[in-house]
Structures are given as C-alpha cells and as structure tokens.
Amino acid sequence: MAALLENQVAFVTGGSRGIGRAICLDLSAAGATVIAAARSEDQLTTLVAEAQAAGHTGRIIPLRLDVTDRAAIDAAVEQVVEGHGKIDILVNNAGITRDGLMMSMTDEQFDEVITANLRSVFWLTRAVSRHMVRARYGRIINISSVSGVMGNAGQANYAASKAGVIGFSKSVAKELAKRNITCNVVAPGFITTDMTDVLPDKVKEAVKPLIPAQKFGDPADIAAAVTFLASPAAKYVTGQVLAVDGGLSM
Ligand code: NDP
C-alpha cells in the first residue's frame, strides 16, 4: 500500500526540537520528503539519523534557516523548489517566547516575538504559495497557540503574534481556496517541550488543574493533527483552528 504522503514535499520550520521535530518525524513516517528548517545544525543532523534508524519511508533533509531573515527565506524556498520541484506542504511551526508583563515590556521584546512568530509566517507563506498556486495544490498549516485564542497574562507579545497567525491564516484560506490550497491552524495547549520546560514547577502545577485532561500534551499529539491536515482526508477543511489542548480552550 502506498504511504499516505508519498511523493509529497513538506517544508517544516523549527524542525530541530520539540513540536517541529515531532512533525518532521510524523510526516516522514507518512512518506513525505521533509525539509526540516532551523538554526541548529547539530539537532537537525540527529533528527535525520533518527528518521533513518526508524526506517521511515520519507527522507528528512536538514536546512539551516533563520526565519527572521526574509532574504534567507526567499532563497531557501527557491533552492528547495529547484531541488525537489515543488513544495506541497508548508508547516510554519518555528516560534519563540519573550514573556513579561505588558506594562514593562520593551519594544525589542515585542518586536522580536512578532518577527519570529508572525512576520516569518507571512514571509514563508508568501514565498511558498506562489509555487503552490502554479501547481494548483497546497497545504499550509500554521502553529498558533491557545494563548492566541484566549490571551495569557505575561504573554501580550506572544498572544498578539499567535492571534495574528489565526487572522492571517483565515485570510489566506479565503484567498487560496479556489486554487486547491488549504490553510489551517493548529492551536496547541501546554505541550512538553523546551518552551514549557523553562516554566517554574509552581506554574506548571497551577496550570494542570485548569486543563480538563489534567496533564500536558506530547509533541506527537500536535504532529498527528498536522499530518491529518496535510493528508487527502482533510481536502475540504480550510480556514479552521484545531485546538489540541486537552480541552483547555473550551
Ligand atoms: P521549542 O522552543 O521547543 O522549539 C522551537 C523551535 O523553533 C526550534 O526548533 C527552534 O529551532 C525554532 N526556531 C526558533 N526561532 C527560530 C528562528 N529564528 N529561525 C528558525 N527556527 C527557529 O518550541 P515548541 O516546540 O514548544 O514550539 C513549537 C511551536 O509551537 C511554536 O510556534 C510555539 O509557539 C508553539 N506552541 C507551543 C506550545 C507548547 O506548550 N510547547 C503551546 C502552544 C504553541 P532553532 O533554535 O534550532 O533555530
């Protein structure tokens, strides 16, 4: 039987760690050729080895890329399309936090997060969608957050960037639906990664009772949602925000 995403090319940002890493592994297990983009080369190298050792049908190809560098994004997308002929699936996953209360937040703290989490999504989507339109096929999946849906004290910059990703994605979905391109959002709740490891234990324990599932999710929970949205089964799903959060945002 053919693999679910055989002959598909996926471009995933933030592939070196956490959720992005799990997405790369899941898409490659489903047969896609995965371009895993991030700044840390070492972690990308171990990711490639991990997929090979697991005998995944699809290959993972590491790509060093800083998503805050627009020129580098444009060059990377051209390089991938030249090398692989197309990009079928774009997953905008790279993201950062620079938490702090709004009243004492600096311009730098605000702008850094908006650039890494929102402007990068615009730049990548613009560059990749030009090729998708020509191919009359595409799946764009953007990783937002429950913070972008509900807001979160101490994360005004991050919540603004993640809410921006939702509005951006719905607009792109409306612009590109007739070209056979879908654009959806996955909004994770608390997922165990480096990003949440830095939270003080006392914060983690205070959060758990607020989650109906009473626990944090795994990166693989997010990856499964992304693979579904990239799969043929989701061809009529667009402009949606799929919360994968143990019920937190209900
Ligand atoms: P991690 O901090 O574990 O990983 C972040 C990833 O983003 C790394 O691969 C990092 O790679 C990459 N990245 C960061 N900045 C850049 C950059 N400038 N250029 C390229 N890559 C970059 O985060 P998570 O895996 O937890 O988060 C992944 C996504 O999920 C993010 O968008 C986050 O906001 C979102 N999310 C996470 C939640 C959670 O609970 N963990 C909850 C809700 C949303 P490198 O450093 O190698 O460049």
Side-chain angles (χ1 to χ4, degrees), residues 14-20 37-40 43 65-68 93-96 117 143-146 158 162 188-191 193-196:
S16 57
R17 286 180 280 125
I19 292 171
R39 294 163 304 180
S40 349
Q43 284 169 314
L65 177 68
D66 182 344
V67 297
T68 67
N93 161 79
I96 60 165
N117 296 4
I143 308 300
S144 175
S145 165
V146 281
Y158 181 78
K162 294 300 189 179
F190 285 87
I191 307 297
T193 67
D194 292 352
M195 191 176 269
T196 47

Side-chain angles (χ1 to χ4, degrees), residues 96-197:
I96 60 165
T97 50
R98 294 288 180 268
D99 295 354
L101 291 174
M102 184 278 297
M103 283 204 295
S104 49
M105 191 173 281
T106 63
D107 286 0
E108 290 71 29
Q109 227 176 326
F110 191 83
D111 291 347
E112 204 184 334
V113 170
I114 295 293
T115 299
N117 296 4
L118 180 58
R119 299 180 88 198
S120 68
V121 173
F122 164 53
W123 291 334
L124 264 148
T125 305
R126 181 174 61 184
V128 171
S129 64
R130 287 173 181 155
H131 297 285
M132 289 178 167
V133 164
R134 237 170 272 144
R136 296 195 78 80
Y137 183 85
R139 295 292 162 87
I140 302 165
I141 299 145
N142 296 326
I143 308 300
S144 175
S145 165
V146 281
S147 293
V149 177
M150 304 166 72
N152 194 20
Q155 290 200 310
N157 50 357
Y158 181 78
S161 73
K162 294 300 189 179
V165 165
I166 293 173
F168 174 79
S169 303
K170 290 184 178 184
S171 305
V172 169
K174 286 186 173 173
E175 287 184 23
L176 299 181
K178 61 179 174 296
R179 316 276 195 159
N180 198 27
I181 298 166
T182 65
C183 181
N184 290 288
V185 173
V186 176
F190 285 87
I191 307 297
T192 307
T193 67
D194 292 352
M195 191 176 269
T196 47
D197 277 353

